[in-house]
Each structure stands twice: as structure tokens, then as C-alpha cells.
Amino acid sequence: MAYVISEDCIACGTCISECPSEAISEGDIYKIDPDLCTECGTCADVCPNEAISLP
């Protein structure tokens, strides 16, 4: 199951640069493409707002 980004996202960009599968897209709140997410957890590890988790 792919990681998801909650409304706590502040769109800082930290997760995008760390995602090895380029599954995260920008916006007011970033989104993770479940078809591209490899569930590595890197994005959740680097998120300063703890806005990324497994559903």
C-alpha cells in the first residue's frame, strides 16, 4: 500500500527530492502516485511535519 500525504503538508519540497521513484507531485498539498510509490518510506522519514504515512 502506497504512502499518503495528509493535510499537514506544508509543501516544503523535502520529500520530492528524496523520493527515488519520483512518485510525488507538487501542489498546495503534495500527492503520492500509488502506482509509482515503492513503499520505501524515505519520504515519511524526511518530512519535517510528519505529514506522510501509510494509510
Side-chain angles (χ1 to χ4, degrees):
M1 185 159 286
Y3 278 78
V4 293
I5 301 177
S6 74
E7 292 183 9
D8 292 332
C9 175
I10 58 171
C12 67
T14 303
C15 59
I16 288 181
S17 62
E18 295 296 323
C19 180
S21 59
E22 299 180 358
I24 303 171
S25 59
E26 293 183 63
D28 291 338
I29 294 175
Y30 289 11
K31 295 189 183 338
I32 297 176
D33 183 332
D35 294 328
L36 296 176
C37 179
T38 60
E39 302 170 31
C40 68
T42 302
C43 57
D45 291 341
V46 299
C47 180
N49 244 31
E50 297 181 2
I52 305 173
S53 62
L54 288 170

